[in-house]
Amino acid sequence: MTKIYVPLDMAAVAMGADRLVAAIEKEAAARGQKVQIVRNGSRGMLWLEPLVEVETPAGRVGYGPVKTKDVAALFDAGFLSGGAHPLSIGKVDDHPWMRQQNRITFARVGVIDPLSIAEYEAHGGGAGLARALQLGPAATIEEVTKSGLRGRGGAGFPTGIKWKTVADAPADRRYVVVNADEGDSGTFADRMLMEGDPLSLIEGMIICGYAINGTKGYVYLRSEYPQTAKVFQAAIEAARKAGWLGDNVRGSGFKFDIELRVGAGAYVCGEETSLLESLEGKRGIVRAKPPLPAHEGLFGKPTVVNNVLSMGTIPMILEKGAQHYADLGVGRSRGTMPLQIAGNVKFGGLFETDFGIPLGTIVNDIAGGTRSGRPVRAVQVGGPLGAYVPVSLFDLPFDYEAFAAKDSLIGHGGLVLFDDTVDMLWMARFGMEFCAIESCGKCTPCRIGSTRGVETIDKIRRGEDVEANIELLKDLCHTMKFGSLCALGGFAPYPVESALRHFPEDFHKPALEAAAE
Amino acid sequence: MAGAAPYNDERAREIIKAHMSLEGPALPILHALMEEFGHVPESAVKDMAEALNISRAEMHGVVSFYHDFHREPHGRHTLKICRAESCQSMGAEKQANEFLAKLKLSWGETTPDGALTVEPVYCLGLCAHSPSALIDGEPVGCVDMETLDEIVAEARR
Ligand SMILES: Cc1cc2nc3c(=O)[nH]c(=O)nc-3n(C[C@H](O)[C@H](O)[C@H](O)COP(=O)(O)O)c2cc1C
Ligand code: SF4
Ligand code: FES
């Protein structure tokens, strides 16, 4: 019986993985070959999806991207014993993309069967929780603080300090909430972790619940990820069955359970207070802070809100010790970041590496430049609220503070490449339009300013009073930055201003040329 | 496909009741109603408001806030085309506009035969395979005009 891996990851499915599984089963049956197909997570080499892996005595050999029409030829080439074929990438672990990484958060993703508790445990799963139970709640929080882990949702707030605030807040109940709203364009790490190693997120939530003395966890997942919801729900059920969740977590006497909730297509619900309102069943209007969710969060109770990646890294930090994590990275950006490389890109995917890697190394060496083969012109880093970074800034190290110093942000770690055909004035317009569509409506600068922004950019596009309208656009950005309650209105100006700063020529195209487009 | 059942007050009230033990049940109920009936009509809003003990206006506010919930039924199939930045870097905006023009639709509209509703979506987490789309919840990567045409033909079948 040969073990074959075909990812269940939504990106692999989008490229035909489900059809491929059926084709392999059919072909194997026709040839009388016995195969066992395991649906793993994705290794993150997304340009190779669907990446089929075959277990051989020498290790796992990969083939990709495989289409159903390739299946017969693969059998002919003896792929079941790792045979040579043009689609072969050799041993997956030896691939340069894999070897250059430092996989901590994603250590198990793509390797194990995501729904197998036994495989999870065989690959170190459970060690973090065991250590936390040994340390006790206070020392567990101390470990998280010492690791230097900062929130991966975008704001970069130290996770340990957040947990301590919640633990110290007097209350009869406390909640653990995981933010899986992942709305930023160019990001998919939360999705990949929840599909590829959901149990690590579950274990992280259990550790958090134990540390802050909370018994209930919610995961708020965006509705644009229907496949993820299925996998994660199955993982919750497997965890319950195995005694990981319930009244007596792994025999510890600690009680904890998790519920999956699905959002409803509002980007702003990724903002933590809007998310809490939504979980409570209300409109996702952002709350004024204070009070912080750590003091008055879900249903008014102290609540930890953490991103999937922050929470999913906790088991590894506990398992390996805070120091191991803190030793990686640069400055105040400790540990690793799962980079998501997307857009017009040759080798797009997930690449986890220590903080500090220069942007140009990521774009040129790792991602191999654009898919179109044309020169890279801009990279939007950190989602729709992140700046467009020009090639002249490619020596910027991937680090929270270094990006902030250039009016940019690393956000959730997404990088979207654009080639030299991009119209930056149009992208600036889209930034404003997106803010107008997704604004929760609470503050005027965000709600009205973004619509004004679109109108103003349209005038610039038509060549009307260009200089005056650029000044007006700058003023609008300023008003939005300083008059908005949350980062949707507050950061929407970043892509616009960066486009204006680094690509001014796109704002000064002759009207005729713009009209001809 | 989901959401095809004709609206039925009694069934709607059952769905509402089945979720009442949850903390903050509104979104799970609305999703379940969408799953069953494909829309959330006025009488469901009224029943939900009663069950949740809030005003009907408040309940309206919740339903209308979220892009996923709608008051009228959609077409038999729903195509969500991504128009966020990563997909735009691969020409998604131009392609979508041409596609919509061909169908004589604007975003959010349904073909006159009721086969297909086309909606915008802002990132599907498939950004290494831009442009992307979801057809009745099934992901599709590296979408070109041919893919879109096939989806329409399939929906009309
Ligand atoms: C408009 C907006 C959207 C956001 N979207 C997300 C999101 O999708 N996922 C996320 O984890 N954080 C998002 N955030 C950040 C959250 O408010 C919050 O900082 C984060 O969930 C805290 O978790 P962390 O400390 O682990 O990062 C968003 C913030 C804003 C203003
Ligand atoms: S900035 Fe925009 S999204 Fe944020 S609270 Fe104000 S109106 Fe709502
Ligand atoms: S931007 Fe289209 S899938 Fe992410």
Side-chain angles (χ1 to χ4, degrees):
Chain A
M1 176 84 81
T2 313
K3 224 180 194 177
I4 301 181
Y5 295 83
V6 183
L8 52 65
D9 184 282
M10 189 157 145
V13 173
M15 297 308 288
D18 289 351
R19 287 190 299 277
L20 185 62
V21 166
I24 293 174
E25 278 170 346
K26 196 169 154 217
E27 191 69 26
R31 294 176 186 241
Q33 308 244 34
K34 282 210 175 328
V35 297
Q36 181 201 350
I37 298 185
V38 177
R39 303 303 300 268
N40 57 338
S42 167
R43 295 277 197 154
M45 297 187 278
L46 292 175
W47 73 96
L48 290 174
E49 294 296 357
L51 174 69
V52 176
E53 291 179 61
V54 180
E55 199 165 75
T56 76
R60 279 158 67 166
V61 176
Y63 300 84
V66 181
K67 304 231 169 306
T68 47
K69 65 170 170 48
D70 301 320
V71 170
L74 283 171
F75 273 91
D76 290 343
F79 89 123
L80 290 183
S81 44
H85 184 277
L87 292 177
S88 172
I89 61 158
K91 272 168 65 182
V92 174
D93 288 332
D94 291 346
H95 195 285
W97 178 275
M98 299 307 296
R99 288 198 6 212
Q100 289 172 59
Q101 297 185 57
N102 184 11
R103 287 199 159 206
I104 294 181
T105 311
F106 276 74
R108 283 181 289 257
V109 174
V111 178
I112 64 167
D113 173 349
L115 297 175
S116 161
I117 302 266
E119 284 191 27
Y120 180 68
E121 291 179 358
H123 283 81
L129 175 59
R131 175 139 182 272
L133 293 170
Q134 227 170 43
L135 288 173
T140 297
I141 296 179
E142 191 54 37
E143 274 294 281
V144 176
T145 307
K146 274 199 289 198
S147 75
L149 177 68
R150 292 166 71 177
R152 301 292 185 236
F157 189 82
T159 305
I161 293 175
K162 189 183 281 187
W163 288 21
K164 184 154 186 348
T165 311
V166 174
D168 289 347
D172 56 345
R173 42 185 325 166
R174 297 178 182 79
Y175 289 103
V176 177
V177 170
V178 165
N179 188 340
D181 203 49
E182 195 162 66
D184 292 356
S185 167
T187 68
F188 39 79
D190 295 349
R191 178 183 69 63
M192 287 186 61
L193 189 71
M194 288 179 71
E195 293 169 1
D197 191 14
L199 293 163
S200 75
L201 176 57
I202 291 175
E203 184 178 346
M205 293 177 73
I206 299 170
I207 294 171
C208 179
Y210 172 71
I212 64 156
N213 191 18
T215 59
K216 181 77 192 253
Y218 286 97
V219 175
Y220 186 91
L221 176 71
R222 64 200 300 252
S223 64
E224 291 84 350
Y225 288 178
Q227 266 71 9
T228 319
K230 279 184 212 149
V231 178
F232 196 72
Q233 188 59 44
I236 291 177
E237 276 150 31
R240 272 191 203 130
K241 226 159 137 193
W244 274 81
L245 294 173
D247 287 338
N248 185 8
V249 171
R250 306 210 81 200
S252 65
F254 170 61
K255 177 180 161 183
F256 193 76
D257 210 345
I258 296 176
E259 207 177 303
L260 175 66
R261 287 290 175 90
V262 177
Y267 176 76
V268 72
C269 286
E271 195 284 333
E272 56 186 2
T273 62
S274 163
L275 185 153
L276 295 172
E277 290 287 301
S278 183
L279 268 179
E280 290 180 9
K282 303 180 190 147
R283 298 152 55 103
I285 306 279
V286 173
R287 297 178 185 168
K289 291 183 210 172
L292 293 170
H295 290 128
E296 290 175 36
L298 189 59
F299 301 109
K301 304 295 180 188
T303 302
V304 167
V305 182
N306 269 140
N307 173 255
V308 171
L309 299 181
S310 326
M311 200 63 98
T313 305
I314 295 291
M316 293 296 192
I317 288 173
L318 266 298
E319 180 192 339
K320 300 203 160 145
Q323 200 56 45
H324 176 85
Y325 199 74
D327 282 345
L328 309 171
V330 288
R332 286 175 49 222
S333 305
R334 309 314 310 174
T336 59
M337 186 73 198
L339 303 171
Q340 301 125 79
I341 313 174
N344 191 338
V345 61
K346 190 163 179 199
F347 304 126
L350 186 130
F351 190 96
E352 180 172 353
T353 184
D354 301 0
F355 279 100
I357 183 171
L359 181 58
T361 306
I362 305 170
V363 172
N364 295 321
D365 303 344
I366 296 166
T370 63
R371 203 186 315 167
S372 63
R374 301 183 66 96
V376 175
R377 182 150 185 249
V379 182
Q380 188 177 30
V381 185
L385 309 177
Y388 286 97
V389 183
V391 177
S392 59
L393 289 177
F394 270 18
D395 58 351
L396 258 186
F398 211 83
D399 159 28
Y400 290 100
E401 278 67 40
F403 267 68
K406 296 281 181 213
D407 285 327
S408 308
L409 51 99
I410 66 171
H412 186 47
L415 299 103
V416 175
L417 277 58
F418 291 81
D419 74 9
D420 61 352
T421 60
V422 63
D423 174 355
M424 295 307 300
L425 181 56
W426 174 264
M427 295 318 296
R429 182 192 191 277
F430 178 77
M432 284 290 187
E433 184 191 359
F434 183 72
C435 182
I437 294 169
E438 300 295 341
S439 169
C440 85
K442 188 159 178 159
C443 352
T444 316
C446 171
R447 190 183 68 238
I448 308 289
S450 52
T451 304
R452 282 287 116 74
V454 172
E455 291 162 5
T456 308
I457 292 175
D458 279 340
K459 285 186 191 150
I460 299 172
R461 280 162 58 80
R462 289 194 299 264
E464 285 174 36
D465 286 331
V466 170
E467 295 311 322
N469 277 311
I470 287 178
E471 282 315 304
L472 179 60
L473 185 62
K474 285 183 184 163
D475 278 352
L476 276 170
C477 285
H478 184 84
T479 309
M480 286 171 73
K481 265 163 111 171
F482 297 99
S484 296
L485 184 57
C486 85
L488 181 46
F491 286 20
Y494 279 100
V496 180
E497 289 178 335
S498 60
L500 194 49
R501 190 171 342 115
H502 301 301
F503 308 96
E505 61 277 19
D506 287 18
F507 288 70
H508 292 94
K509 279 198 225 164
L512 267 180
E513 188 190 322
E517 273 174 17
Chain B
M1 82 119 326
Y7 191 76
N8 169 325
D9 278 313
E10 207 172 312
R11 176 77 191 112
R13 279 193 285 265
E14 263 170 44
I15 289 172
I16 294 168
K17 205 167 151 212
H19 289 87
M20 288 306 290
S21 62
L22 297 178
E23 293 182 306
L27 260 64
I29 294 173
L30 288 165
H31 276 301
L33 292 171
M34 285 295 302
E35 176 74 23
E36 182 94 1
F37 307 117
H39 69 299
V40 180
E42 182 57 34
S43 63
V45 172
K46 183 180 101 316
D47 286 339
M48 275 188 76
E50 250 164 50
L52 299 175
N53 206 11
I54 59 174
S55 75
R56 211 196 278 197
E58 243 177 295
M59 196 64 238
H60 265 294
V62 175
V63 177
S64 61
F65 183 84
Y66 297 97
H67 301 300
D68 282 3
F69 308 134
H70 35 89
R71 307 294 301 276
E72 305 294 331
H74 272 183
R76 292 192 299 282
H77 302 275
T78 301
L79 172 64
K80 297 189 182 194
I81 299 179
C82 180
R83 62 177 297 246
E85 288 90 340
S86 173
C87 287
Q88 290 213 25
S89 78
M90 290 302 292
E93 186 79 353
K94 188 163 167 271
Q95 176 167 281
N97 287 335
E98 283 171 22
F99 175 67
L100 288 167
K102 211 155 63 169
L103 292 181
K104 300 197 178 64
L105 296 180
S106 298
W107 288 116
E109 291 181 351
T110 303
T111 51
D113 59 1
L116 187 71
T117 304
V118 185
E119 292 189 311
V121 66
Y122 298 92
C123 193
L124 294 166
L126 302 171
C127 332
H129 294 113
S130 292
S132 72
L134 268 190
I135 171 72
D136 295 336
E138 290 297 317
V140 200
C142 299
V143 171
D144 54 16
M145 195 56 89
E146 201 183 320
T147 323
L148 294 173
D149 290 341
E150 276 167 27
I151 287 172
V152 177
E154 188 70 25
R156 288 194 159 138
R157 212 169 277 169

